[in-house]
Amino acid sequence: MQSQIKLEGMKPGHLEQVAALSVVESQLPFVGTMEEILVNVDDVVHPVVIQMEARVVGFFLVDTQYGQRYDFAPGDALGLRGFFVDQHYQGQGIGTRAVAALKTFLRAEYPHAHQIVLTVNCKNPAAKICYERGGFIDVGELYHGGAAGPQHVMSMMLETQEEEAR
Ligand SMILES: CC(C)(COP(=O)(O)OP(=O)(O)OC[C@H]1O[C@@H](n2cnc3c(N)ncnc32)[C@H](O)[C@@H]1OP(=O)(O)O)[C@@H](O)C(=O)NCCC(=O)NCCS
């Protein structure tokens, strides 16, 4: 049986494990270093840890003002930023399962949010596959503002089908 993946808002007790997370050098253009990601954290950009068997194996940010920062996202959309799995844990399905757990996590933590949006580099098919398997849809628009080349814009609705039908 596969190990359970849990998403949890980062707490001070996670810091030591979070600081030790990294990606391989060739992946740095996609997310940057842990240090570079953490400087984005403030009262509107929230850090979240991906855990497997109580060990921190990955990380991402939920940006509650993403829609106000970027024209390609609706004004009230959340943003997914800095998503990664530590280099020693990649290729085990953790990224895919973390994205699959995202909707439930966000509905609990951000009950008023309708949608989450992200950008993924066109040269990063592994991440795009992960997002698609977890329910994100390529909106068919390219964002050219990133330092490492064009990025696909992807989006996932957070309502259930019943809520959408209302
Ligand atoms: C993208 C990322 C989060 C995927 O996490 P992961 O746990 O390794 O992903 P999974 O094991 O769930 O694999 C998902 C798919 O990605 C692909 N994949 C995974 N590792 C790969 C690799 N090293 N090279 C090429 N494709 C790869 C595979 O197609 C895999 O599908 P499969 O299960 O059919 O083989 C992880 O590779 C990562 O952190 N990358 C660096 C940071 C990054 O690019 N973040 C995204 C920013 S938008």
Side-chain angles (χ1 to χ4, degrees), residues 12-22 34 51 54-57 86:
H14 293 131
L15 185 60
E16 200 178 322
Q17 288 187 73
V18 166
L21 299 175
S22 63
M34 192 69 242
Q51 290 171 291
R55 186 183 301 133
V56 177
V57 293
D86 179 77

Side-chain angles (χ1 to χ4, degrees), residues 23 27 30-31 83-85 89-97 119-121 124 126-127 129-131 133:
V23 295
Q27 296 172 334
F30 303 139
V31 279
F83 180 89
F84 74 96
V85 171
Y89 293 94
Q90 291 180 15
Q92 301 174 28
I94 295 171
T96 299
R97 283 184 286 150
T119 63
V120 55
N121 197 286
N124 194 359
I129 286 171
C130 256
Y131 296 137
R133 284 182 181 158

Side-chain angles (χ1 to χ4, degrees), residues 66 70 72 80 117-121 131 143 151-154:
Y66 197 78
Y70 297 108
F72 57 76
L80 182 72
V117 177
L118 62 81
T119 63
V120 55
N121 197 286
Y131 296 137
Y143 171 63
Q151 301 181 42
H152 299 286
V153 178
M154 302 187 81

